[in-house]
Amino acid sequence: MSDRPDPIRDGLARGWKVYGGRHPGARPLPRELSCDVAIVGSGAGAGITAELMAKAGLDVVLIEEGPLKSSSDFRQLEREAYPALYQDSAARKTADQAVTILQGRCVGGSTTVNWTSSFRTPDETLAWWQRHYGLSEYGAEDLSPWFLQAERRLGIGPWLAPPNENNDLLRRGAAKLGIAAAAIQRNVKGCWNLGSCGLGCPTNAKQSMLVTTIPAALDRGARLLVEMRAQAFEHRGGRISALECIAVEPDGTPIDDATLRIEARHYVVAGGAINSPALLLRSGLPDPHGHLGTRTFLHPVVISAAAFDQRVAGWSGAPQTIYSDHFLGVDAIDGPIGYKLEAPPLHPLIFATTTSGFGLEQARLMKLFPHMHALLALLRDGFHPQSPGGTVTLKRDGSPKLDYPLTDFVMDGARRALLAMAEIQFAAGAREVLPGHERGRSLRSWSEAQEVIGALPMKPLLTRVVSAHVMGGCGMAGSEMLGVVRPDGRHWQVENLSVHDGSIFPTSIGANPQLSIYGIVNRLATRLAERLSGRAVQLA
Amino acid sequence: MVAAAGRVSRRSLLRGGLGAAGLLLLGGSAAWLWRPGLAGGRLTTTGRAVFLAVAQAVLEGCLPTEPAARARALDAHARHLDETLAALPAAVRSELGLLLGLLSVAAGRRWLTGLQVDWTEADVPAVQAALDRMRADDDPLRLQAYHALRDLNNAAFFAQPEQWSLLGYPGPTPV
């Protein structure tokens, strides 16, 4: 256990109203609750919403399916963090198993485990939404003050320490090729530069929802239910009358008879893409135009590892501090799919399960671990007819299933990305490059890489594809013909229901989405809080 | 990433042939051999045999070669596999149990992996050849099974601090 201060344990000791779960001081679950605002989830959208609602004097209840864990629990160990903090032990899968999805499942949601990369929504993404989805108030200037507030509230700013070698290799390799790369802003205060952001920040430096907005809401009297699944809404005549919940075991198994009914004036769904549309589907809410669950985006990611003569120690130091958007600008946004480049942190388990192959060759590469570097390419999906994203439907047990076809259009981008990453890595001095593909092999030169990667069959399951950004499924639009929710986040057909998370994005973002959620939800929740309470509030 | 890194969906199994070919394979004299691969969230004897045979193929070069040390390492690995599996959602464990059940029957094993001898008798080169066949196959079912077996073994093994010296990884920085 860390000796550092733990603001969550302190808050619990002060009497925070946290019900359910197995954390120290857990309160027993009630059978019924009523409140002004019931918020499903506790991640980026839920956290921002909760703080603003509580500031407006509204009675708030948050419902989180995952556990309450905090810095005392965060021991920087993959074997503990993935089962405790991520959906499906950090191995949520698409229906055909071809994409592994990293998504948080704990108080704070993905913000508790993300790698701190903070980008405002790119201007060209917003312009696309305005042009194609009738979101006229979504210009970069309209949103700028809302982003600014979120940045202030969450300590988002330049990272002044030098990049670690893993990131600096991206900077140096790109520079040699004349490719622009820049520094990534981060949401941290007093960061120790440990490199364990993905395992829960042990020093509370990361300004996740877990240590910012959720404690602020709890200090104002909000109630938090943990290890509690939002099962379905009761509704009639275009209004929600109640939310049915059930307690779950750590592995997600429902606990018989541990049900809870919540009545609220307004309901905010912020369980994250995949889970939010699934809740609406389970509830049988109106969906007259068939949009619910569709256009779910992943930023499909392909990975290129490389070995260097020098020590890289990719586990150490802030992850993802350098990026390149060069390949997002080569073609038009609706042309061949573009991609963003970043350098992810490397830890033994994630490295061993993301690379390819086995046996003596795997052993050789694992023993080079301190010399390994990796780049990832995040493909910007959702801007072309051949990149319509995936569709969330329900399994027989009511849990969500995401069918995401990796089309030839998307996989063409994956091949170009593997080539571009290999070229940058060789330019940075790589001794060998390993494309994330089951039929790839150790490549010793850029010319060999061109030949081998150029001939790889870019098929699902052969190509290693992962995702850490799930978006869409409850798309926002200026017309009910085009989306599930209105531009202000309210459901088009249900009057006392809003959606406040990444599931409202009508396309992918084209950048790590946390700040897009913070900024956009800041505006949605500020206005909703004013409407419900009659009081003006500000996040910062 | 991954504990459950690979899992095989019931739908995929059905689509891939368990529904028709699988029933045929398991019919008659083979059906009584069916054993679940997981029980109570833990590997059964048959499930463990499949995983440990694959482990020795996947982790070649990382496991001790001296017989007693190797046996101890495999025992520990089996415990770590159980811990890894226990953390998965029940639905995923059930899908994995189905896969292991299929692999534990000779006809299923031969059909899915091409491995001619039982897991407990197969040497490392034979299991590696089977894994190579699975990942060279265009059938999604074989690729899914390959990823499940490979990734779960890697996840359970490389997450353990006792393996980190092999990697030159010092472990987390103390705070």
Side-chain angles (χ1 to χ4, degrees), chain A residues 164-205:
Chain A
N164 67 6
E165 179 68 359
N166 195 39
N167 278 272
D168 204 54
L169 285 166
L170 168 56
R171 187 189 63 77
R172 299 203 303 267
K176 282 210 173 159
L177 297 173
I179 291 170
I184 299 179
Q185 301 211 30
R186 307 181 62 220
N187 57 321
V188 293
K189 284 183 181 171
C191 173
W192 287 35
N193 210 13
L194 296 170
S196 298
C197 311
L199 310 175
C201 180
T203 64
N204 298 301

Side-chain angles (χ1 to χ4, degrees), chain A residues 79 93 97 357 362 438 461, chain B residues 5 7 135 147 150 160:
Chain A
R79 64 179 180 177
K93 299 277 187 183
Q97 319 284 323
Q362 171 174 280
E438 282 302 327
L461 292 164
Chain B
R7 62 194 201 223
R135 67 173 179 154
H147 286 299
R150 175 207 182 263
Q160 307 309 322

Side-chain angles (χ1 to χ4, degrees), chain A residues 2-4 74-79 82-83 87-97 100 102 192 194 196 202-203 250-253 303 311 315-316 346-363 366-370 395-397 399 401 403 437-440 460-462 464 466, chain B residues 1-12 14-15 56-62 80 83-84 86-93 95 127-141 143-144 146-147 150-156 158-162 164 166-175:
Chain A
S2 165
D3 294 330
R4 311 297 307 165
F74 299 153
R75 305 197 312 150
Q76 308 176 75
L77 295 171
E78 292 180 284
R79 64 179 180 177
Y82 297 154
Q87 297 281 351
D88 293 14
S89 280
R92 192 169 226 188
K93 299 277 187 183
T94 51
D96 66 356
Q97 319 284 323
T100 301
L102 295 175
W192 287 35
L194 296 170
S196 298
T203 64
D251 71 358
T253 305
I303 294 162
R311 187 177 166 86
W315 60 82
S316 177
L346 301 180
H347 294 275
L349 193 163
I350 201 169
F351 183 71
T353 53
T354 307
T355 49
S356 305
F358 53 83
L360 290 177
E361 174 63 0
Q362 171 174 280
M366 291 306 294
K367 289 170 186 171
L368 290 173
F369 187 56
K395 298 180 191 170
R396 266 188 302 188
D397 66 359
S399 63
K401 177 177 72 177
D403 191 357
H437 193 290
E438 282 302 327
R439 296 188 193 165
L461 292 164
L462 286 177
R464 281 275 174 178
V466 300
Chain B
M1 163 154 343
V2 198
R7 62 194 201 223
V8 175
S9 73
R10 184 180 301 269
R11 190 189 71 156
S12 306
L14 293 172
R15 189 182 58 213
Q56 294 179 76
V58 169
L59 300 171
E60 186 188 20
C62 293
H80 298 143
E83 290 161 10
T84 304
L88 300 177
V92 178
R93 287 201 303 267
E95 291 161 0
V127 178
Q128 288 181 337
L131 292 172
D132 265 331
R133 278 191 296 274
M134 293 166 80
R135 67 173 179 154
D137 202 295
D138 285 334
D139 183 338
L141 179 61
L143 275 163
Q144 290 167 348
Y146 161 77
H147 286 299
R150 175 207 182 263
D151 290 359
L152 281 163
N153 270 307
N154 272 345
F158 290 110
Q160 307 309 322
E162 55 266 34
W164 293 345
L166 186 75
L167 312 183
Y169 170 61
T173 305
V175 296

